[in-house]
Amino acid sequence: MKKLIALLLAMVMVLGLVACGTPAEKPDGTEGTGTGTAEGKGTIAVVAKGETHAFWQAVKAGAVDAGKAAGYNVTFQGPTSESESEVPNQRNMVESALNTKDIKAIVLATIGTGFVDQLVAAYDKGLPVVEFDSGLYSNGADITEGKDPTIGSVATDNKKAGAVVAENFYAYLKAQNVLANGYKVGIIQHDSTSTGIDRAGGFKEKIEELAKADNITLDINLQEKQNNAGEYKLGLTALKEWGAQAIFMTNEGVVNEVFPEVKDNAGDYKEILFCGFDAGTNQYDWIKDAGATCALLVGSVAQDSYSIGAEAVKLAIAKLEGKEVADVGIGGQWYNKDNIDELKGKNIFYMG
């Protein structure tokens, strides 16, 4: 009887341990977690251009949510700034991702070029790489022949997004009945990379096309500036002296330098109408001001940063699961004082 009781107690203890999540052996002989957590399918490593900025935090949220929904663990890293001086630091992050336990794929947005060795290593390990937000190579010859691990890209279509700004901005100008031959439109382009070129070019082409349809010829002045302190303010001053009646700012950095100048010298800029790109606290405050204390920011286009992160991870997962993959272009969304809070609630417009 004592032996029988002892045997029964032992069985109860074993059952209790299994019920509490003690690792159980899987059919293939390996040990399972017993928790159903994301690590069961492996890890997707995301290396971004940054981590602390609100834009990248929204990208991270989308990436993590997409991984969790499909049963994958997602890690996220990025340097403290998007300066090219951070390229070596970011390269180390890619090296770390390559050596991450249970790594299955890499999602990568590089600040600059010089990642060929890491990308070849990913190819040799059989790891698919999704590029997002910007390209990984300066040209097609950068990568060792036949060893390109990239399977596709996910990014805002900057040329189309610039056109979205133009369509909505032109509609406002037309409604205000201010358009005429020679109407002066300025553009402050934030740098000479494809991002700045495409946004400025998409805006310019579309607004000229719309004006031409109305038999109006616009006068366009493009100020191409680099991301150095005071450069965008110089572009603003040049456009004001030129007599600009409307100005398009191609990214958040331009807005952040232009807005304080416009606000502090309201009388000098009161008659100029502005439109922008991206999001951030300064654009929120400027939109909400609605022309009460300074020049009017009619509206802007926000990148859907949450969807960029989510779709990049989904693309990697599709490849891992043997599905067909293709590049994904994320459209920007126009916002003004009427819908800015709605987009903020959807993580499309971010503060910071």
Side-chain angles (χ1 to χ4, degrees):
M1 179 62 72
K2 289 180 179 179
K3 289 181 179 180
L4 179 59
I5 292 172
L7 180 61
L8 291 170
L9 287 172
M11 290 176 65
V12 169
M13 290 177 66
V14 170
L15 291 170
L17 286 171
V18 171
C20 290
T22 300
E25 193 173 285
K26 296 191 289 187
D28 61 3
T30 60
E31 204 175 67
T33 64
T35 61
T37 55
E39 287 82 349
K41 287 188 176 181
T43 296
I44 296 173
V46 181
V47 179
K49 292 179 181 178
E51 186 172 7
T52 57
H53 190 280
F55 176 89
W56 297 114
Q57 284 296 303
V59 169
K60 179 180 180 179
V64 170
D65 285 351
K68 188 183 296 183
Y72 287 84
N73 179 48
V74 172
T75 61
F76 193 98
Q77 294 185 87
T80 55
S81 75
E82 296 182 38
S83 166
E84 287 199 22
S85 65
E86 288 287 343
V87 167
N89 186 27
Q90 195 183 34
R91 196 177 294 122
N92 289 335
M93 292 178 181
V94 178
E95 293 277 3
S96 175
L98 287 167
N99 295 307
T100 298
K101 182 182 177 182
D102 296 328
I103 183 71
K104 300 297 181 184
I106 296 175
V107 175
L108 179 59
T110 61
I111 296 170
T113 56
F115 290 78
V116 171
D117 290 345
Q118 290 72 32
L119 291 164
V120 169
Y123 179 89
D124 289 340
K125 285 175 174 275
L127 302 175
V129 174
V130 175
E131 63 178 72
F132 77 107
D133 191 62
S134 61
L136 303 180
Y137 313 113
S138 59
N139 58 66
D142 279 353
I143 192 66
T144 303
E145 185 176 355
K147 291 209 168 188
D148 184 356
T150 57
I151 60 163
S153 67
V154 177
T156 298
D157 187 324
N158 285 298
K159 191 165 187 178
K160 288 184 178 179
V164 171
V165 181
E167 288 170 353
N168 287 276
F169 194 47
Y170 185 84
Y172 179 87
L173 297 176
K174 190 172 181 177
Q176 298 302 308
N177 199 29
V178 296
L179 292 166
N181 282 326
Y183 188 80
K184 293 188 172 184
V185 178
I187 301 171
I188 305 176
Q189 180 182 314
H190 65 278
D191 58 31
S192 56
T193 64
S194 60
T195 301
I197 292 169
D198 287 350
R199 290 180 188 178
F203 176 87
K204 181 176 181 293
E205 288 176 17
K206 177 55 69 172
I207 201 165
E208 286 181 327
E209 173 192 317
L210 294 169
K212 185 177 180 181
D214 289 333
N215 295 314
I216 294 172
T217 301
L218 301 176
D219 193 358
I220 308 289
N221 185 328
L222 174 64
Q223 294 285 316
E224 181 187 307
K225 300 296 180 181
Q226 297 303 310
N227 184 21
N228 298 315
E231 284 283 304
Y232 304 139
K233 184 177 174 181
L234 289 175
L236 174 66
T237 301
L239 290 176
K240 178 174 70 72
E241 292 175 350
W242 173 66
Q245 296 163 280
I247 294 176
F248 169 47
M249 304 165 289
T250 63
N251 82 342
E252 182 181 352
V254 179
V255 175
N256 288 344
E257 197 165 293
V258 167
F259 177 49
E261 172 69 12
V262 169
K263 188 175 181 180
D264 292 343
N265 300 280
D268 293 337
Y269 300 97
K270 191 69 175 177
E271 302 305 316
I272 302 177
L273 297 168
F274 289 83
C275 58
F277 207 102
D278 292 326
T281 302
N282 273 334
Q283 274 189 92
Y284 187 85
D285 292 343
W286 197 352
I287 286 276
K288 286 291 187 175
D289 182 77
T293 63
C294 64
L296 178 66
L297 179 63
V298 174
S300 293
V301 159
Q303 299 183 75
D304 191 345
S305 47
Y306 180 91
S307 290
I308 289 173
E311 292 300 324
V313 168
K314 286 179 183 178
L315 192 63
I317 292 171
K319 181 66 175 179
L320 292 173
E321 296 182 349
K323 299 175 183 176
E324 290 188 12
V325 295
D327 293 348
V328 179
I330 305 295
Q333 293 201 39
W334 173 260
Y335 65 87
N336 55 27
K337 63 183 178 60
D338 297 325
N339 68 340
I340 190 170
D341 288 317
E342 178 187 347
L343 295 190
K344 182 169 172 282
K346 294 178 178 178
N347 289 322
I348 294 173
F349 184 96
Y350 56 82
M351 301 293 279

